[in-house]
Amino acid sequence: MSVLVVGSIGLDTVKTQIEEHADLLGGSASYASVGASFFTDVNLVGIVGDDFPKPHMEFLGNRGIDLEGLEMVEGNTFRWSGEYHWDMNIRETRSIALNVFEHFNPTLPASYHDTEFVLLANIAPKLQSHVLDQMCRPKFIIADTMDLWINIAKDDLLALLKRVDMLILNDGEARQLTGETSLIKAGSHIRKLGPRFVAVKKGEHGCLLFGENDFFSCAAYPLEDIHDPTGAGDTFAGGLAGYLASLNHNGPITFNKLRKAVVYGSVLASFNVEAFSLERLRTLTPQDIEQRYESFKLMSKIEVLE
Amino acid sequence: MSVLVVGSIGLDTVKTQIEEHADLLGGSASYASVGASFFTDVNLVGIVGDDFPKPHMEFLGNRGIDLEGLEMVEGNTFRWSGEYHWDMNIRETRSIALNVFEHFNPTLPASYHDTEFVLLANIAPKLQSHVLDQMCRPKFIIADTMDLWINIAKDDLLALLKRVDMLILNDGEARQLTGETSLIKAGSHIRKLGPRFVAVKKGEHGCLLFGENDFFSCAAYPLEDIHDPTGAGDTFAGGLAGYLASLNHNGPITFNKLRKAVVYGSVLASFNVEAFSLERLRTLTPQDIEQRYESFKLMSKIEVLE
């Protein structure tokens, strides 16, 4: 089965306290589609300007990502520039230029209408809903979001939530959306807004997964050095959606399937932050992924025989 | 085997945004010794004034805690008063009165010298070292500490660390002690200061356990309501030490034994915060503990068959 990914595609300039790199491949759909491509076929929906570097396009194509839904129009590609503090949990946006993304109004190719899995990566909830409007009864719909949309488009977001199976957001956003201090209360609260499943990302503290009567706490991989946290959440969502789609089953998506999907998402994200942009994913192998998945199992295991 | 617990014993006044209670049984050694008492015999070393309520003393004694090492002297018992914000991760100390605790200079009863397990609960590192000086080759030594000692008695703490097998501290304290932003780096760094094992407590995010080439991430139990976080860390340390002592084995304490100990500590702590002071522990049963231990296993499990 394949997964449709819609989101932003951009050129990022990223500064950490150690390094700075310009014109990197970035955007939620870039990270998410490449993350998913390790597990399944991907149909990418997005927009770029005619300045979008050919090598970036070729990289996506070489990952087996279908680019029929990627519009290229006259003008400049979306650009973002940000800087991380020593504490990489804190970042400041230095500049943002929507460019061609400002008038993005995704129209899906007919061949995408029946895609079974949908990952609405982080873009305006109105656009996410617009994509869903064009889909023909997808099997499972995942939405990612961010604080900006909770601030400026909360009604659109609430409307979207009624239509999705799973919401992914970070801990601060879960608190902001629900007004709950406790993440446990926030998780239950969000489920009442529509999605049957909620994944709350906590960065260095891992991720919490909420289901109807189920709870799963996924650890974060113990990395000593993080080079660039940009796109970790998008890669997580992509890996998660891609793994689910790869199961190729007819049965429903259950909580126990989602446990593994959350771990595979975390595995992908943990690799992604080891280098700038998507650089680490360029050389990542299925063996690397399986090895780290086994590490996640071991570091979460309570009972290990001597 | 039994565990010797030394620390503070006090009368607490605790205010949350919901309730306020005065003259509660408190102090690091109270929580730690009661936590440990669910698993093993406990020798308690501490000091109280002659105002210390008889019912508190009886409660400790009824838990099977040996009180020969508990001095009662003329004067007032140590008192602490604190207030929690809506976000219970934030608390302010409203008042503190050391009283008889100011001149505490623990002298161990001869019958305590051979206790196999030692838990140096949170008190000044100089006192913790003084207790160790009186012990005869204990099998395993655990120390807890807090930011205050890192600020005002860092040299004493560093001297202590060379003598202990395991240090327990919270995330902020681990960062403060090592100057590392990354908890993963902080954990490795602390191991180089002496203890073979380090447990970094992260409150609502669980706990990280570091060994020579091992890493374990323990989830936090998903409580919707926390009534009083006071003593959670002390109860954790007590449960952990008590469980280890209960193994009654001759072999060395291994990382895999510590995984389970960290979970049992977390189980005890998760119960403790469900009510003020040690109230929840008064009615806690071994069945409650085993049931929650099973919940920890399930919520951490990556692969669960349908």
Side-chain angles (χ1 to χ4, degrees):
Chain A
M1 294 197 192
S2 39
V3 56
L4 180 144
V5 175
V6 61
S8 64
I9 297 167
L11 296 172
D12 288 353
T13 297
V14 177
K15 186 177 186 302
T16 67
Q17 298 300 305
I18 314 272
E19 298 171 74
E20 177 166 2
H21 296 279
D23 293 341
L24 302 164
L25 177 58
S28 62
S30 305
Y31 286 104
S33 61
V34 173
S37 73
F38 283 91
F39 301 100
T40 195
D41 294 333
V42 179
N43 296 331
L44 176 59
V45 177
I47 193 166
V48 293
D50 50 18
D51 63 340
F52 191 67
K54 226 181 184 167
H56 291 346
M57 195 70 93
E58 284 165 0
F59 167 56
L60 297 172
N62 289 338
R63 291 275 342 143
I65 297 168
D66 187 291
L67 302 177
E68 194 188 340
L70 178 59
E71 271 182 89
M72 184 179 276
V73 299
E74 205 177 315
N76 289 322
T77 300
F78 170 62
R79 283 178 176 268
W80 174 82
S81 170
E83 177 171 352
Y84 290 91
H85 290 217
W86 275 114
D87 177 351
M88 287 212 178
N89 295 305
I90 306 169
R91 99 172 166 197
E92 278 161 29
T93 291
R94 298 199 296 182
S95 68
I96 194 159
L98 292 177
N99 298 332
V100 299
F101 195 66
E102 194 170 355
H103 302 293
F104 181 41
N105 187 29
T107 303
L108 270 50
S111 60
Y112 285 15
H113 292 174
D114 291 319
T115 317
E116 297 92 341
F117 286 77
V118 181
L119 171 54
L120 306 166
N122 178 32
I123 44 169
K126 224 176 193 144
L127 289 181
Q128 293 174 315
S129 284
H130 180 61
V131 167
L132 279 192
D133 292 340
Q134 300 169 60
M135 303 288 301
C136 176
R137 299 172 53 82
K139 187 180 169 72
F140 200 77
I141 303 165
I142 304 169
D144 197 351
T145 194
M146 74 184 290
D147 50 355
L148 176 67
W149 313 122
I150 302 172
N151 284 326
I152 70 169
K154 193 168 173 180
D155 288 345
D156 293 342
L157 179 60
L158 292 174
L160 174 74
L161 289 186
K162 297 196 198 315
R163 306 175 65 186
V164 306
D165 296 288
M166 180 172 195
L167 180 68
I168 297 176
L169 76 181
N170 76 29
D171 45 1
E173 293 155 1
R175 291 187 165 114
Q176 187 189 351
L177 180 59
T178 61
E180 302 282 3
T181 313
S182 152
L183 290 180
I184 307 305
K185 283 188 180 172
S188 311
H189 186 136
I190 294 170
R191 287 192 68 258
K192 290 185 188 130
L193 301 175
R196 284 183 292 140
F197 303 108
V198 178
V200 177
K201 297 170 290 179
K202 305 192 295 174
E204 60 171 335
H205 301 302
C207 174
L208 306 179
L209 177 64
F210 298 86
E212 187 171 1
N213 294 304
D214 293 295
F215 175 76
F216 172 56
S217 177
C218 179
Y221 189 74
L223 288 171
E224 290 228 348
D225 283 301
I226 290 174
H227 286 89
D228 175 13
T230 310
D234 307 308
T235 312
F236 168 83
L240 186 157
Y243 171 76
L244 279 184
S246 78
L247 295 177
N248 196 25
H249 46 65
N250 294 309
I253 298 295
T254 60
F255 191 84
N256 289 338
K257 288 170 185 161
L258 276 173
R259 291 175 188 259
K260 290 182 72 175
V262 161
V263 175
Y264 276 111
S266 303
V267 165
L268 266 283
S270 76
F271 280 116
N272 189 62
V273 301
E274 290 182 0
F276 273 66
S277 181
L278 292 98
E279 290 308 306
R280 181 65 185 88
L281 302 187
R282 287 177 194 267
T283 58
L284 190 67
T285 67
Q287 291 72 29
D288 294 334
I289 294 174
E290 280 313 305
Q291 206 170 11
R292 189 156 292 181
Y293 176 80
E294 290 302 317
S295 299
F296 268 82
K297 283 209 304 199
L298 182 57
M299 76 194 200
S300 306
K301 215 164 197 169
I302 294 174
E303 295 181 356
V304 179
L305 297 176
E306 300 288 334
Chain B
M1 298 199 190
S2 40
V3 56
L4 180 144
V5 175
V6 61
S8 63
I9 298 168
L11 297 172
D12 289 353
T13 298
V14 176
K15 185 177 185 305
T16 66
Q17 299 300 306
I18 314 271
E19 298 173 74
E20 176 166 1
H21 296 280
D23 294 340
L24 302 165
L25 177 57
S28 61
S30 305
Y31 287 103
S33 61
V34 173
S37 74
F38 283 91
F39 300 100
T40 194
D41 293 336
V42 180
N43 295 332
L44 176 60
V45 177
I47 192 166
V48 294
D50 50 18
D51 63 340
F52 191 67
K54 227 183 184 162
H56 290 346
M57 195 71 92
E58 287 165 359
F59 167 56
L60 296 172
N62 289 339
R63 291 276 341 145
I65 297 168
D66 188 289
L67 302 177
E68 196 189 339
L70 177 60
E71 273 181 86
M72 182 179 279
V73 299
E74 205 177 312
N76 289 324
T77 300
F78 170 63
R79 280 175 178 272
W80 173 82
S81 170
E83 178 172 350
Y84 291 90
H85 290 215
W86 275 115
D87 177 353
M88 287 211 177
N89 295 304
I90 306 167
R91 96 172 169 198
E92 278 161 30
T93 290
R94 298 198 297 183
S95 69
I96 194 158
L98 292 177
N99 298 332
V100 300
F101 195 66
E102 193 169 356
H103 303 292
F104 182 40
N105 186 30
T107 303
L108 271 47
S111 61
Y112 285 14
H113 292 172
D114 292 318
T115 317
E116 296 92 343
F117 285 78
V118 181
L119 172 56
L120 307 167
N122 178 33
I123 46 168
K126 223 174 195 144
L127 290 179
Q128 292 174 315
S129 284
H130 180 62
V131 167
L132 278 193
D133 292 340
Q134 300 169 60
M135 303 290 301
C136 175
R137 297 172 55 82
K139 186 182 169 72
F140 200 77
I141 304 165
I142 303 170
D144 197 351
T145 194
M146 75 185 288
D147 51 354
L148 177 66
W149 313 121
I150 301 173
N151 284 327
I152 70 170
K154 192 168 175 180
D155 288 346
D156 293 343
L157 178 60
L158 292 175
L160 175 75
L161 290 187
K162 297 194 197 314
R163 305 176 64 187
V164 307
D165 297 289
M166 181 172 192
L167 179 68
I168 297 175
L169 75 180
N170 75 29
D171 46 359
E173 292 155 1
R175 291 188 164 112
Q176 188 188 351
L177 180 59
T178 60
E180 302 281 5
T181 312
S182 152
L183 290 179
I184 306 307
K185 284 188 180 174
S188 311
H189 186 136
I190 295 171
R191 287 193 66 260
K192 291 184 189 134
L193 301 175
R196 284 182 295 140
F197 303 108
V198 178
V200 176
K201 297 170 291 181
K202 306 192 296 174
E204 61 171 335
H205 301 302
C207 174
L208 305 179
L209 176 64
F210 297 87
E212 188 172 0
N213 294 304
D214 294 296
F215 175 77
F216 172 55
S217 177
C218 180
Y221 189 73
L223 288 170
E224 290 230 347
D225 283 302
I226 290 174
H227 286 89
D228 175 13
T230 311
D234 306 309
T235 311
F236 168 83
L240 186 158
Y243 172 77
L244 278 184
S246 78
L247 294 179
N248 196 27
H249 46 65
N250 295 309
I253 300 293
T254 59
F255 191 85
N256 288 339
K257 287 170 186 161
L258 277 173
R259 289 174 189 260
K260 288 181 73 173
V262 161
V263 175
Y264 276 111
S266 303
V267 164
L268 266 285
S270 75
F271 279 117
N272 190 62
V273 301
E274 290 181 0
F276 272 67
S277 182
L278 291 97
E279 289 310 304
R280 181 65 184 88
L281 302 187
R282 288 176 193 266
T283 58
L284 190 67
T285 67
Q287 292 71 28
D288 293 333
I289 293 174
E290 282 312 306
Q291 206 169 12
R292 190 157 293 182
Y293 175 80
E294 291 301 318
S295 299
F296 269 82
K297 284 209 303 199
L298 182 57
M299 77 195 197
S300 308
K301 215 163 198 169
I302 295 173
E303 296 182 354
V304 179
L305 297 176
E306 299 289 334

